[in-house]
Amino acid sequence: EVQLLESGGGLVQPGGSLRISCEASGFIFTSYAMSWVRQAPGKGLQWVSGISGSGGRTYYADSVMGRFTVSRDNAKNTLFLQMDSLRGEDTAVYYCAKDLAYCGSECEPEFFDNWGQGTLVTVSS
Amino acid sequence: EIVLTQSPGTLSLSPGQRATLSCRASQSVTRRYLAWYQHKPGQAPRLLVYGASTRATGIPDRFSGSGSGTDFTLTITRLEPEDFAVYYCQQSDSRTFGQGTKVEIK
């Protein structure tokens, strides 16, 4: 059974930094692209960032480019999102999501067939 | 960037009724790049359909996807109590989501 467990959310001041994590189990982690998707309060889903299975290719939404960095530790089956220069509009529940396609190490994210329960990031003074 | 516009914003229906949800793209989308998700409050989103019409594993056949080009549809033939939720379309080119359609109990 696929399991994705996010952690590391919390309250951070504007301009601050936070790193959230997602521990994965139940599938061959290196064979799937992974993504972060967020939902701000009262808003819809927004894809934030993704990474290929090997970690060699990363992808970002325009709204976080240059501020967020996605990475993965395939030895520990863990996905990370380093968030810097945080803004109020980054306040959201952040979900870790596994890609649908099993396609080796260099596929880019497309569709998301398994999701974690989310971790809340609040940016406020 | 392709923008997805979903309609209606809210759909008020009774259990047993048919739900028809629309997703319109700002430019043509290849069928294989379109998916639908269900999201309930406090839960993880669930993939329903990908490739515009292929049901994901374990999804009941009352859910069906169709469409091509710029117009796509998710149909729920007979609403069950557990189907009341928010539904999103998503295209995989830039991984953008539509703004969602809420299906609520009438």
Side-chain angles (χ1 to χ4, degrees):
Chain A
E1 178 192 4
V2 172
Q3 292 193 353
L4 300 169
L5 182 61
E6 301 96 338
S7 62
L11 175 64
V12 59
Q13 292 189 338
S17 297
L18 196 66
R19 188 175 85 154
I20 57 177
S21 304
C22 171
E23 187 173 338
S25 61
F27 63 102
I28 303 171
F29 189 62
T30 56
S31 293
Y32 292 87
M34 298 292 294
S35 285
W36 290 97
V37 179
R38 69 185 180 186
Q39 183 178 35
K43 303 293 186 182
L45 298 175
Q46 180 192 23
W47 176 82
V48 172
S49 181
I51 187 168
S52 63
S54 69
R57 298 183 182 181
T58 57
Y59 308 84
Y60 299 95
D62 289 345
S63 58
V64 306
M65 183 83 71
R67 300 188 299 122
F68 288 12
T69 303
V70 63
S71 62
R72 63 194 294 162
D73 182 341
N74 285 343
K76 295 183 178 179
N77 286 2
T78 304
L79 175 73
F80 302 100
L81 186 67
Q82 175 68 41
M83 301 181 288
D84 299 320
S85 303
L86 282 161
R87 307 167 180 166
E89 54 264 37
D90 295 319
T91 294
V93 174
Y94 284 73
Y95 295 99
C96 164
K98 168 189 164 292
D99 218 68
L100 171 67
Y102 172 91
C103 68
S105 61
E106 295 305 329
C107 290
E108 62 180 273
E110 290 191 329
F111 304 127
F112 318 116
D113 66 342
N114 286 274
W115 301 62
Q117 289 300 311
T119 187
L120 176 62
V121 174
T122 303
V123 183
S124 175
S125 55
Chain B
E1 177 181 290
I2 297 175
V3 176
L4 300 177
T5 301
Q6 293 187 239
S7 62
T10 302
L11 201 50
S12 298
L13 296 168
S14 301
Q17 287 192 292
R18 180 187 189 95
T20 302
L21 288 67
S22 172
C23 176
R24 177 162 290 178
S26 58
Q27 56 187 280
S28 185
V29 174
T30 305
R31 279 180 56 86
R32 73 172 290 269
Y33 296 134
L34 197 286
W36 290 91
Y37 298 82
Q38 177 192 70
H39 193 199
K40 299 178 184 179
Q43 296 187 20
R46 179 168 73 147
L47 176 66
L48 299 174
V49 168
Y50 61 94
S53 60
T54 302
R55 275 188 297 276
T57 302
I59 301 303
D61 60 7
R62 65 179 180 272
F63 292 92
S64 64
S66 62
S68 63
T70 60
D71 291 303
F72 296 86
T73 300
L74 177 71
T75 302
I76 311 170
T77 50
R78 289 179 56 86
L79 282 164
E80 298 287 341
E82 62 268 28
D83 297 337
F84 292 92
V86 180
Y87 292 84
Y88 296 92
C89 58
Q90 180 232 340
Q91 62 89 17
S92 63
D93 184 19
S94 57
R95 293 163 280 272
T96 52
F97 289 88
Q99 82 279 20
T101 290
K102 181 180 182 180
V103 178
E104 66 176 22
I105 299 176
K106 186 174 181 180

